[in-house]
Amino acid sequence: MTLLQFVFLVIAAVTLLSAALVVSSRNLVHAALWLIVSLFGVAVLYALLDAGFLAVVQVVVYIGAIAILFVLVVMLSPVAPKDNRSQVDARWWLPGVLSVLLFGGLVWMLSLWQGFTSEVPPVADANQLLVQLGSELVSPNAYVLPFELASVLLVAAMIGAIWVAWERK
């Protein structure tokens, strides 16, 4: 095992552990902070896979915008839920069985996929691919509408957080 493979496995384990802590944490602020750790782990994995552009986008968009927005919404809310009850329901086995079945179906489906045996064509020019990606992101015929809708959604979430936190006289 090379050093790069070891680092990859450690970062993947930290990312998975922090993702599990996001959904199992009782405190919303802690869950948001674990989300930032998990998203940063994904950015490191992108960097290890030589996808520097995706790593920077992961940090700027997801950690810099969405995760920080979650933290602001949680901290602006006047009543933070203090739920000390157990996070495990009496019917925990049903989602557990469904999760195992879904995972088994995904493994079976991916085992039939021919992409694992095919060769990846070499990238001719990485700069040309980034230029093409940039033009697709701002093209009215491609992905500009989803980006604009995401920005409107983020502004609406921020306005909603301020509205909830606003003290009424």
Side-chain angles (χ1 to χ4, degrees):
M1 177 182 293
T2 66
L3 178 65
L4 186 62
Q5 291 172 337
F6 178 73
V7 169
F8 182 86
L9 290 176
V10 168
I11 296 298
V14 168
T15 303
L16 288 174
L17 177 68
S18 62
L21 288 171
V22 168
V23 296
S24 65
S25 179
R26 293 180 187 204
N27 190 337
L28 286 177
V29 176
H30 293 166
L33 293 175
W34 283 118
L35 177 67
I36 291 172
V37 171
S38 179
L39 292 173
F40 188 73
V42 172
V44 171
L45 290 176
Y46 282 145
L48 286 176
L49 294 171
D50 289 331
F53 177 74
L54 290 178
V56 170
V57 167
Q58 178 80 13
V59 169
V60 169
V61 172
Y62 288 105
I63 296 174
I66 295 174
I68 300 303
L69 181 70
F70 286 166
V71 171
L72 285 174
V73 167
V74 167
M75 295 184 87
L76 282 175
S77 64
V79 180
K82 303 270 191 237
D83 189 9
N84 291 328
R85 294 179 293 163
S86 174
Q87 298 292 326
V88 180
D89 192 0
R91 296 169 290 177
W92 65 268
W93 58 271
L94 180 61
V97 169
L98 289 175
S99 299
V100 168
L101 287 174
L102 179 64
F103 182 73
L106 288 173
V107 168
W108 173 74
M109 188 175 64
L110 286 175
S111 68
L112 298 177
W113 183 45
Q114 300 298 323
F116 288 123
T117 58
S118 64
E119 291 288 324
V120 176
V123 176
D125 186 15
N127 290 332
Q128 182 61 30
L129 288 176
L130 285 178
V131 168
Q132 182 182 359
L133 175 65
S135 65
E136 289 290 325
L137 289 178
V138 296
S139 170
N141 297 327
Y143 299 109
V144 75
L145 183 62
F147 277 143
E148 292 299 323
L149 289 175
S151 66
V152 169
L153 178 68
L154 290 174
V155 169
M158 193 63 173
I159 291 171
I162 292 170
W163 177 261
V164 168
W166 195 273
E167 289 187 29
R168 278 124 181 119
K169 301 206 184 231

